[in-house]
Protein backbone atom coordinates (compact mmCIF):
# COMPACT_ATOMS: atom_id res chain seq x y z
CA UNK A 1 0.00 0.00 0.00
CA UNK A 2 1.57 3.26 -1.04
CA UNK A 3 1.31 6.22 1.33
CA UNK A 4 -0.32 8.19 -1.47
CA UNK A 5 -3.26 5.77 -1.44
CA UNK A 6 -4.49 6.77 2.00
CA UNK A 7 -5.48 10.43 1.55
CA UNK A 8 -7.80 9.97 -1.45
CA UNK A 9 -9.49 7.01 0.31
CA UNK A 10 -10.03 9.03 3.49
CA UNK A 11 -11.32 12.05 1.59
CA UNK A 12 -13.84 9.90 -0.28
CA UNK A 13 -15.07 8.17 2.91
CA UNK A 14 -15.20 11.38 4.96
CA UNK A 15 -17.52 12.87 2.34
CA UNK A 16 -20.02 10.12 3.20
CA UNK A 17 -20.24 11.33 6.81
CA UNK A 18 -23.50 13.14 7.55
CA UNK A 19 -22.92 16.81 8.36
CA UNK A 20 -24.12 17.60 11.89
CA UNK A 21 -27.38 19.38 12.49
CA UNK A 22 -27.68 21.44 15.65
CA UNK A 23 -29.04 19.89 18.83
CA UNK A 24 -27.82 19.53 22.40
CA UNK A 25 -28.71 17.76 25.63
CA UNK A 26 -27.59 14.67 27.51
CA UNK A 27 -27.47 12.06 29.04
CA UNK A 28 -28.14 8.52 30.15
CA UNK A 29 -25.70 6.76 32.47
CA UNK A 30 -23.85 3.47 32.37
CA UNK A 31 -21.08 1.79 34.21
CA UNK A 32 -17.93 0.36 32.72
CA UNK A 33 -16.37 -3.03 32.65
CA UNK A 34 -13.64 -4.56 30.50
CA UNK A 35 -13.58 -4.72 26.71
CA UNK A 36 -15.66 -1.62 26.06
CA UNK A 37 -18.93 -3.22 27.22
CA UNK A 38 -21.18 -1.05 29.35
CA UNK A 39 -24.23 -2.58 31.05
CA UNK A 40 -26.97 -0.17 31.95
CA UNK A 41 -29.61 -1.59 34.27
CA UNK A 42 -33.29 -0.72 34.28
CA UNK A 43 -36.05 -1.83 36.66
CA UNK A 44 -38.38 -3.86 34.45
CA UNK A 45 -41.43 -2.41 36.19
CA UNK A 46 -40.32 1.12 35.18
CA UNK A 47 -40.33 0.28 31.46
CA UNK A 48 -43.70 0.96 29.81
CA UNK A 49 -45.25 -1.96 27.93
CA UNK A 50 -46.59 -1.73 24.38
CA UNK A 51 -50.14 -1.08 25.63
CA UNK A 52 -49.01 1.58 28.10
CA UNK A 53 -49.10 -0.80 31.12
CA UNK A 54 -46.18 -2.27 33.08
CA UNK A 55 -43.55 -4.59 31.56
CA UNK A 56 -42.74 -7.99 33.05
CA UNK A 57 -39.82 -10.42 32.74
CA UNK A 58 -41.96 -12.45 30.30
CA UNK A 59 -40.98 -9.95 27.62
CA UNK A 60 -37.71 -10.67 25.74
CA UNK A 61 -34.86 -8.62 27.18
CA UNK A 62 -33.92 -7.18 23.73
CA UNK A 63 -37.44 -5.83 23.52
CA UNK A 64 -37.21 -4.35 27.03
CA UNK A 65 -33.90 -2.63 26.17
CA UNK A 66 -35.37 -1.30 22.98
CA UNK A 67 -38.30 0.19 24.93
CA UNK A 68 -36.02 1.47 27.69
CA UNK A 69 -33.50 3.37 25.65
CA UNK A 70 -31.93 1.65 22.74
CA UNK A 71 -33.01 1.65 19.17
CA UNK A 72 -32.40 -1.79 17.70
CA UNK A 73 -32.05 -3.57 21.07
CA UNK A 74 -28.47 -4.30 22.15
CA UNK A 75 -27.25 -7.58 23.70
CA UNK A 76 -28.82 -7.90 27.14
CA UNK A 77 -29.41 -10.05 30.22
CA UNK A 78 -31.80 -10.27 33.16
CA UNK A 79 -30.78 -9.96 36.81
CA UNK A 80 -32.30 -9.73 40.28
CA UNK A 81 -31.64 -6.73 42.47
CA UNK A 82 -31.98 -8.94 45.58
CA UNK A 83 -31.17 -12.61 46.24
CA UNK A 84 -34.56 -13.08 47.88
CA UNK A 85 -36.49 -12.23 44.70
CA UNK A 86 -37.84 -15.31 42.86
CA UNK A 87 -37.90 -13.60 39.42
CA UNK A 88 -35.55 -11.15 37.68
CA UNK A 89 -36.65 -7.55 38.25
CA UNK A 90 -33.91 -5.82 36.21
CA UNK A 91 -32.77 -5.89 32.62
CA UNK A 92 -29.14 -5.07 31.73
CA UNK A 93 -28.66 -3.52 28.31
CA UNK A 94 -25.03 -3.99 27.19
CA UNK A 95 -23.70 -0.96 25.36
CA UNK A 96 -20.47 -1.20 23.32
CA UNK A 97 -18.74 1.43 21.31
CA UNK A 98 -16.03 1.48 18.72
CA UNK A 99 -13.06 3.58 19.82
CA UNK A 100 -9.77 3.05 18.05
CA UNK A 101 -6.12 4.05 18.36
CA UNK A 102 -2.62 2.68 18.85
CA UNK A 103 -2.50 0.57 22.03
CA UNK A 104 0.91 -0.24 23.48
CA UNK A 105 1.89 -3.78 24.37
CA UNK A 106 1.44 -4.20 28.13
CA UNK A 107 -1.53 -1.85 28.42
CA UNK A 108 -3.09 -2.90 31.72
CA UNK A 109 -5.74 -0.20 32.27
CA UNK A 110 -8.97 -0.07 30.29
CA UNK A 111 -10.17 3.54 30.58
CA UNK A 112 -13.09 2.54 32.79
CA UNK A 113 -14.75 5.21 34.93
CA UNK A 114 -17.07 4.93 37.94
CA UNK A 115 -20.64 3.68 37.79
CA UNK A 116 -23.08 6.54 37.30
CA UNK A 117 -20.74 8.64 35.16
CA UNK A 118 -22.71 10.33 32.35
CA UNK A 119 -22.55 8.32 29.15
CA UNK A 120 -20.84 10.97 27.01
CA UNK A 121 -18.26 11.61 29.73
CA UNK A 122 -17.52 7.86 29.94
CA UNK A 123 -17.07 7.73 26.18
CA UNK A 124 -14.65 10.69 26.08
CA UNK A 125 -12.77 9.34 29.11
CA UNK A 126 -12.25 6.12 27.20
CA UNK A 127 -11.03 8.08 24.18
CA UNK A 128 -8.70 10.17 26.40
CA UNK A 129 -7.28 6.99 27.91
CA UNK A 130 -6.57 5.57 24.47
CA UNK A 131 -4.89 8.82 23.35
CA UNK A 132 -2.76 8.82 26.52
CA UNK A 133 -1.85 5.16 25.91
CA UNK A 134 -0.61 6.10 22.44
CA UNK A 135 2.11 8.33 23.98
CA UNK A 136 4.27 5.49 25.37
CA UNK A 137 3.39 3.40 22.29
CA UNK A 138 5.04 5.98 20.00
CA UNK A 139 7.92 6.70 22.40
CA UNK A 140 8.77 3.01 22.43
CA UNK A 141 8.33 2.76 18.68
CA UNK A 142 10.76 5.67 18.13
CA UNK A 143 13.39 4.05 20.38
CA UNK A 144 12.97 0.68 18.70
CA UNK A 145 13.14 2.12 15.20
CA UNK A 146 16.40 3.83 16.15
CA UNK A 147 17.83 0.62 17.59
CA UNK A 148 16.85 -1.36 14.46
CA UNK A 149 18.59 1.20 12.23
CA UNK A 150 15.48 2.79 10.69
CA UNK A 151 15.87 6.01 8.69
CA UNK A 152 16.02 9.12 10.85
CA UNK A 153 12.84 10.60 9.32
CA UNK A 154 10.79 7.63 10.63
CA UNK A 155 12.30 7.95 14.11
CA UNK A 156 11.62 11.71 14.16
CA UNK A 157 8.04 11.19 12.93
CA UNK A 158 7.37 8.68 15.72
CA UNK A 159 8.70 11.15 18.33
CA UNK A 160 6.50 13.89 16.83
CA UNK A 161 3.51 11.55 16.97
CA UNK A 162 4.11 10.95 20.70
CA UNK A 163 3.89 14.73 21.23
CA UNK A 164 0.70 14.89 19.14
CA UNK A 165 -0.84 12.22 21.34
CA UNK A 166 -0.12 14.27 24.48
CA UNK A 167 -2.22 17.09 22.94
CA UNK A 168 -4.96 14.67 21.88
CA UNK A 169 -5.17 13.16 25.36
CA UNK A 170 -5.49 16.63 26.85
CA UNK A 171 -8.26 17.62 24.37
CA UNK A 172 -10.20 14.42 25.09
CA UNK A 173 -9.70 14.85 28.83
CA UNK A 174 -11.30 18.32 28.53
CA UNK A 175 -14.31 16.80 26.75
CA UNK A 176 -14.55 14.05 29.37
CA UNK A 177 -14.46 16.56 32.25
CA UNK A 178 -17.00 18.76 30.48
CA UNK A 179 -19.34 15.79 30.51
CA UNK A 180 -18.71 14.78 34.11
CA UNK A 181 -15.98 12.14 33.80
CA UNK A 182 -12.45 12.17 35.27
CA UNK A 183 -9.33 11.21 33.34
CA UNK A 184 -8.92 7.43 33.81
CA UNK A 185 -5.66 6.13 35.22
CA UNK A 186 -3.21 4.76 32.65
CA UNK A 187 -1.10 1.70 33.48
CA UNK A 188 1.42 0.23 31.05
CA UNK A 189 3.80 -2.60 31.99
CA UNK A 190 7.55 -1.92 31.44
CA UNK A 191 8.71 -2.64 27.88
CA UNK A 192 11.23 -5.33 26.94
CA UNK A 193 13.47 -5.31 23.87
CA UNK A 194 11.89 -7.17 20.94
CA UNK A 195 12.63 -8.30 17.41
CA UNK A 196 11.92 -6.36 14.22
CA UNK A 197 9.25 -8.95 13.40
CA UNK A 198 7.47 -8.31 16.72
CA UNK A 199 7.64 -4.55 16.06
CA UNK A 200 6.26 -5.07 12.55
CA UNK A 201 3.38 -7.24 13.78
CA UNK A 202 2.36 -4.68 16.41
CA UNK A 203 2.65 -1.87 13.88
CA UNK A 204 0.52 -3.79 11.35
CA UNK A 205 -2.24 -4.47 13.90
CA UNK A 206 -2.20 -1.28 15.98
CA UNK A 207 -1.03 1.16 13.32
CA UNK A 208 -2.03 -0.06 9.83
CA UNK A 209 -5.43 -1.35 11.00
CA UNK A 210 -6.57 0.09 14.35
CA UNK A 211 -5.00 3.56 14.27
CA UNK A 212 -5.78 3.91 10.57
CA UNK A 213 -9.44 3.20 11.25
CA UNK A 214 -9.25 5.52 14.29
CA UNK A 215 -8.03 8.29 11.97
CA UNK A 216 -11.01 7.70 9.72
CA UNK A 217 -13.35 7.85 12.73
CA UNK A 218 -11.78 11.11 13.95
CA UNK A 219 -12.50 12.81 10.62
CA UNK A 220 -15.99 11.32 10.59
CA UNK A 221 -16.74 12.69 14.08
CA UNK A 222 -15.29 16.08 13.13
CA UNK A 223 -17.99 16.26 10.48
CA UNK A 224 -20.92 14.51 12.15
CA UNK A 225 -20.85 15.32 15.89
CA UNK A 226 -23.74 17.53 16.96
CA UNK A 227 -21.64 18.95 19.79
CA UNK A 228 -19.62 21.85 18.31
CA UNK A 229 -16.82 21.36 20.85
CA UNK A 230 -16.46 17.74 19.75
CA UNK A 231 -16.33 18.77 16.10
CA UNK A 232 -13.67 21.36 16.92
CA UNK A 233 -11.51 18.96 18.97
CA UNK A 234 -11.76 16.09 16.49
CA UNK A 235 -11.23 18.50 13.61
CA UNK A 236 -7.82 19.37 15.11
CA UNK A 237 -6.98 15.73 15.87
CA UNK A 238 -7.99 14.14 12.54
CA UNK A 239 -5.11 15.54 10.40
CA UNK A 240 -2.56 14.35 12.99
CA UNK A 241 -4.15 10.91 13.04
CA UNK A 242 -4.03 10.72 9.28
CA UNK A 243 -0.26 11.41 9.48
CA UNK A 244 0.08 8.71 12.15
CA UNK A 245 -1.74 6.27 9.87
CA UNK A 246 0.61 7.19 7.01
CA UNK A 247 3.58 6.73 9.34
CA UNK A 248 2.34 3.23 10.23
CA UNK A 249 2.28 2.28 6.55
CA UNK A 250 5.71 3.84 5.95
CA UNK A 251 7.15 1.85 8.87
CA UNK A 252 5.44 -1.24 7.50
CA UNK A 253 7.06 -0.78 4.09
CA UNK A 254 10.50 -0.27 5.65
CA UNK A 255 10.23 -3.26 8.04
CA UNK A 256 8.79 -5.68 5.49
CA UNK A 257 11.80 -5.20 3.20
CA UNK A 258 14.06 -6.40 6.01
CA UNK A 259 12.08 -9.47 7.09
CA UNK A 260 12.30 -13.02 5.76
CA UNK A 261 9.44 -14.30 3.55
CA UNK A 262 8.18 -16.42 6.48
CA UNK A 263 8.21 -13.45 8.85
CA UNK A 264 6.45 -11.28 6.26
CA UNK A 265 3.73 -13.90 5.96
CA UNK A 266 3.26 -13.84 9.75
CA UNK A 267 2.90 -10.03 9.66
CA UNK A 268 0.28 -10.29 6.89
CA UNK A 269 -1.58 -12.99 8.80
CA UNK A 270 -1.72 -10.75 11.90
CA UNK A 271 -2.92 -7.85 9.76
CA UNK A 272 -5.70 -9.96 8.19
CA UNK A 273 -6.83 -11.11 11.64
CA UNK A 274 -6.81 -7.51 12.88
CA UNK A 275 -9.19 -6.48 10.06
CA UNK A 276 -11.51 -9.35 10.99
CA UNK A 277 -11.41 -8.44 14.68
CA UNK A 278 -12.07 -4.81 13.84
CA UNK A 279 -15.03 -5.74 11.66
CA UNK A 280 -16.43 -7.83 14.51
CA UNK A 281 -15.92 -5.00 17.03
CA UNK A 282 -17.59 -2.51 14.69
CA UNK A 283 -20.60 -4.70 13.95
CA UNK A 284 -21.20 -5.45 17.64
CA UNK A 285 -20.83 -1.82 18.75
CA UNK A 286 -23.97 -0.23 20.12
CA UNK A 287 -24.44 3.28 21.46
CA UNK A 288 -27.50 5.05 22.79
CA UNK A 289 -28.77 7.25 19.94
CA UNK A 290 -28.15 10.40 21.95
CA UNK A 291 -24.49 9.53 22.60
CA UNK A 292 -23.96 8.62 18.94
CA UNK A 293 -25.43 11.95 17.83
CA UNK A 294 -23.35 14.07 20.21
CA UNK A 295 -20.09 12.20 19.62
CA UNK A 296 -20.62 11.78 15.86
CA UNK A 297 -19.68 8.08 16.03
CA UNK A 298 -21.30 5.96 13.30
CA UNK A 299 -23.90 3.26 13.97
CA UNK A 300 -22.75 -0.37 14.14
CA UNK A 301 -23.94 -1.07 10.62
CA UNK A 302 -22.22 1.99 9.22
CA UNK A 303 -19.02 1.38 11.21
CA UNK A 304 -18.89 -2.17 9.82
CA UNK A 305 -19.35 -0.89 6.27
CA UNK A 306 -16.57 1.66 6.80
CA UNK A 307 -14.23 -1.06 8.07
CA UNK A 308 -15.02 -3.21 5.02
CA UNK A 309 -14.57 -0.29 2.64
CA UNK A 310 -11.23 0.68 4.19
CA UNK A 311 -9.99 -2.94 4.26
CA UNK A 312 -10.95 -3.44 0.61
CA UNK A 313 -8.74 -0.47 -0.31
CA UNK A 314 -5.80 -1.20 1.99
CA UNK A 315 -5.77 -5.00 2.06
CA UNK A 316 -7.96 -6.39 -0.71
CA UNK A 317 -9.35 -9.82 0.16
CA UNK A 318 -8.81 -9.48 3.94
CA UNK A 319 -12.57 -9.48 4.60
CA UNK A 320 -13.77 -11.38 1.55
FE1 LIG B 1 -4.34 10.56 18.84
FE1 LIG C 1 -2.54 8.66 16.74
Amino acid sequence: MSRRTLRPVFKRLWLLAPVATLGLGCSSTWSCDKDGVYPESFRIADIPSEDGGVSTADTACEELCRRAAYHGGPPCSFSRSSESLPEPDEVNCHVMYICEGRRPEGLCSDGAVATGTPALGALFARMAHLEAASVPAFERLADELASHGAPEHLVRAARRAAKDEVRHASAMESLARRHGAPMPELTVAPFQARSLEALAIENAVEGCVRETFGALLAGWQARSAEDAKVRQSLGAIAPDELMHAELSWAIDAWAMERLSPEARERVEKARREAWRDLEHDASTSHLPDEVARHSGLPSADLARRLVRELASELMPGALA
Side-chain angles (χ1 to χ4, degrees):
M1 207 285 303
S2 136
R3 279 185 68 187
R4 262 175 285 167
T5 312
L6 214 47
R7 281 176 193 244
V9 172
F10 270 47
K11 281 181 184 162
R12 179 171 66 75
L13 293 176
W14 279 339
L15 283 177
L16 301 176
V19 177
T21 49
L22 290 179
L24 289 174
C26 58
S27 62
S28 57
T29 58
W30 69 57
S31 60
C32 299
D33 65 9
K34 298 229 184 262
D35 304 326
V37 182
Y38 295 80
E40 184 172 7
S41 299
F42 298 91
R43 279 190 67 234
I44 296 169
D46 291 342
I47 301 172
S49 67
E50 292 278 85
D51 58 10
V54 175
S55 294
T56 68
D58 291 338
T59 309
C61 66
E62 292 88 353
E63 174 62 17
L64 290 171
C65 287
R66 190 185 61 74
R67 287 185 204 158
Y70 302 110
H71 177 74
C76 58
S77 58
F78 285 118
S79 62
R80 290 177 295 167
S81 56
S82 160
E83 284 294 310
S84 60
L85 288 171
E87 298 286 332
D89 65 335
E90 289 182 338
V91 61
N92 308 302
C93 309
H94 300 283
V95 180
M96 292 161 276
Y97 56 67
I98 183 109
C99 171
E100 294 309 325
R102 183 181 276 267
R103 300 164 300 184
E105 186 183 56
L107 178 61
C108 302
S109 48
D110 60 5
V113 290
T115 301
T117 302
L120 266 175
L123 170 65
F124 292 130
R126 185 101 178 180
M127 291 170 77
H129 174 263
L130 199 51
E131 296 284 9
S134 301
V135 178
F138 273 117
E139 285 171 344
R140 181 197 196 182
L141 183 60
D143 290 346
E144 286 184 308
L145 286 170
S147 72
H148 284 293
E152 186 53 32
H153 71 92
L154 292 180
V155 178
R156 272 202 313 270
R159 296 213 192 283
R160 256 196 320 273
K163 288 183 184 151
D164 294 340
E165 302 294 12
V166 171
R167 280 199 316 279
H168 300 175
S170 162
M172 286 299 111
E173 181 182 352
S174 298
L175 285 178
R177 292 195 187 282
R178 188 162 165 257
H179 290 282
M183 180 69 184
E185 198 176 317
L186 174 70
T187 314
V188 182
F191 298 135
Q192 311 287 334
R194 62 183 172 174
S195 67
L196 181 60
E197 179 182 337
L199 179 160
I201 286 177
E202 185 187 76
N203 180 66
V205 172
E206 299 298 332
C208 300
V209 176
R210 296 263 170 191
E211 193 171 27
T212 300
F213 185 66
L216 183 65
L217 281 185
W220 191 277
Q221 290 179 266
R223 194 173 157 93
S224 296
E226 283 189 4
D227 186 325
K229 196 86 182 133
V230 177
R231 288 201 304 278
Q232 189 186 22
S233 299
L234 271 298
I237 288 173
D240 292 343
E241 293 299 354
L242 175 53
M243 283 195 281
H244 300 174
E246 289 175 328
L247 173 61
S248 301
W249 286 94
I251 291 170
D252 187 70
W254 169 79
M256 291 297 251
E257 274 184 9
R258 281 149 190 84
L259 293 174
S260 67
E262 295 76 22
R264 281 204 294 273
E265 184 44 47
R266 287 190 286 272
V267 175
E268 294 299 7
K269 181 167 176 277
R271 196 190 330 262
R272 255 192 315 276
E273 281 168 10
W275 281 117
R276 282 192 216 116
D277 290 347
L278 184 60
E279 184 189 25
H280 174 266
D281 291 352
S283 57
T284 54
S285 64
H286 198 110
L287 277 180
D289 288 347
E290 194 174 73
V291 177
R293 280 203 323 276
H294 277 75
S295 66
L297 282 170
S299 66
D301 182 50
L302 193 48
R304 180 176 163 273
R305 280 190 281 149
L306 287 172
V307 171
R308 291 191 69 84
E309 191 69 29
L310 196 56
S312 74
E313 295 279 359
L314 304 183
M315 193 178 189
L319 298 179

